[in-house]
Amino acid sequence: MIYEITETKNVASLFDKWDETLIWSCLQKIMGKIYANHLTCPTSAMAIIGDFIFFAGKPFAQLVTYKPDWCTQDFIIMIPQNEEWKKMITQLYGNKAKIVSRYATKKEPDIFNQNHLKTIVASLSNEYILHKIDEPFYHMCKSEKWSADLVSQFRDYKEYCKLGLGIIILKDHTIVSGASSYSRYQEGIEIEIDTKKEYRHKGLASICGAQLILDCLKQHLYPSWDAQNEISLSLAKKLGYHYSHTYTAIEIWGY
């Protein structure tokens, strides 16, 4: 049997020392859900939030293949706690599984040079407008595939307004780039940055990211950054983050 865990303290030890804000969001019961093989004394658990699942404890096949009814997407990124989980996931999903590398950055609250970030923001050309994600822009972000992840983990604008934080860049009344909270935990957010394809390589992602970090610092929130690829890692370094480590993720297509 697989159980949804509401008393997250029962599974906290399985995720111990995993420095990942998406897991913290689940454990803190702010966003996401946790499932396990036992309600009160679990030995295997998974935290699922957005497009990510984190597997912890003793590898358990039934948990790896479990898909909650509310989870309707056909793509998911599975993060194994160790090689045993990785082996089980790849065996069970076969050619649906693609092993990739992701890049974690260090969580250093006092590392950011605000003058440097303000200089990046000030470099925005006059042809663009920087704007916070309010209700109209929340819906505009959600309406296009490239920008949907800026707000898609929040059920509605009311929840986004309460828990989220975001910046977009406009050109001719159209969103062309944005940085926002992919998720929220008590002490901060996990950053999501996206730019419309034809507007990439113009420095817009750097400007959005810099402004979002500044806004987070004003609110005493930590802007956590997990890099999907080396391009994202390079951008993170430009904004002041330091590389921590490379880790394995498994993309499941046809989940």
Side-chain angles (χ1 to χ4, degrees):
M1 288 283 291
I2 301 299
Y3 302 89
E4 181 179 341
I5 304 300
T6 55
E7 293 295 330
T8 57
K9 62 182 180 181
N10 293 334
V11 297
S13 63
L14 298 179
F15 294 99
D16 192 33
K17 298 181 181 178
W18 204 337
D19 198 22
E20 175 54 67
T21 72
L22 296 179
I23 295 174
W24 301 344
S25 295
C26 296
L27 290 174
Q28 294 168 0
K29 297 188 279 189
I30 294 175
M31 301 179 72
K33 293 181 180 294
I34 294 181
Y35 296 89
N37 61 343
H38 196 280
L39 276 174
T40 56
C41 299
T43 56
S44 306
M46 71 177 191
I48 178 168
I49 179 171
D51 291 330
F52 295 85
I53 300 179
F54 299 84
F55 291 99
K58 182 179 178 180
F60 185 52
Q62 193 176 348
L63 199 61
V64 172
T65 57
Y66 179 72
K67 184 176 182 179
D69 292 340
W70 56 267
C71 187
T72 59
Q73 71 252 51
D74 59 4
F75 171 78
I76 203 81
I77 301 168
M78 295 184 172
I79 316 295
Q81 193 178 52
N82 50 46
E83 284 295 318
E84 288 74 21
W85 278 108
K86 174 185 172 182
K87 183 178 179 181
M88 179 175 286
I89 292 167
T90 54
Q91 286 179 341
L92 289 171
Y93 283 95
N95 58 13
K96 291 183 178 181
K98 178 185 177 182
I99 298 174
V100 298
S101 292
R102 295 180 67 94
Y103 306 91
T105 61
K106 295 179 181 179
K107 293 176 174 56
E108 303 169 295
D110 301 321
I111 202 65
F112 300 105
N113 182 328
Q114 294 196 39
N115 288 331
H116 171 63
L117 295 173
K118 289 174 182 177
T119 299
I120 292 175
V121 174
S123 70
L124 183 65
S125 169
N126 290 334
E127 63 184 306
Y128 300 103
I129 296 174
L130 195 65
H131 200 288
K132 290 187 177 181
I133 297 179
D134 56 15
E135 187 166 7
F137 291 129
Y138 167 88
H139 294 293
M140 195 179 292
C141 286
K142 209 166 185 178
S143 69
E144 295 196 49
K145 186 175 181 180
W146 75 267
S147 58
D149 276 346
L150 293 171
V151 299
S152 62
Q153 303 313 317
F154 300 86
R155 288 171 292 185
D156 49 33
Y157 178 70
K158 183 179 180 181
E159 184 176 66
Y160 182 81
C161 186
K162 179 182 177 182
L163 299 174
L165 187 66
I167 293 293
I168 45 95
I169 289 177
L170 298 164
K171 187 175 189 299
D172 301 327
H173 308 290
T174 299
I175 298 174
V176 296
S177 186
S180 183
S181 43
Y182 182 80
S183 58
R184 173 65 188 269
Y185 65 108
Q186 287 176 2
E187 300 82 9
I189 67 169
E190 187 68 40
I191 288 182
E192 172 76 20
I193 293 188
D194 295 294
T195 300
K196 203 168 186 176
K197 187 175 181 180
E198 54 268 41
Y199 289 92
R200 293 172 186 169
H201 311 297
K202 297 178 183 292
L204 301 182
S206 299
I207 293 167
C208 285
Q211 185 61 60
L212 181 58
I213 292 169
L214 288 168
D215 288 348
C216 282
L217 297 178
K218 285 180 184 177
Q219 296 189 31
H220 306 289
L221 297 173
Y222 183 74
S224 178
W225 188 299
D226 184 84
Q228 178 184 6
N229 50 44
E230 292 184 356
I231 295 174
S232 176
L233 179 61
S234 177
L235 175 55
K237 290 178 177 178
K238 179 180 179 181
L239 297 174
Y241 294 89
H242 294 129
Y243 168 79
S244 174
H245 61 277
T246 302
Y247 67 92
T248 295
I250 304 168
E251 297 179 347
I252 305 297
W253 299 85
Y255 174 57

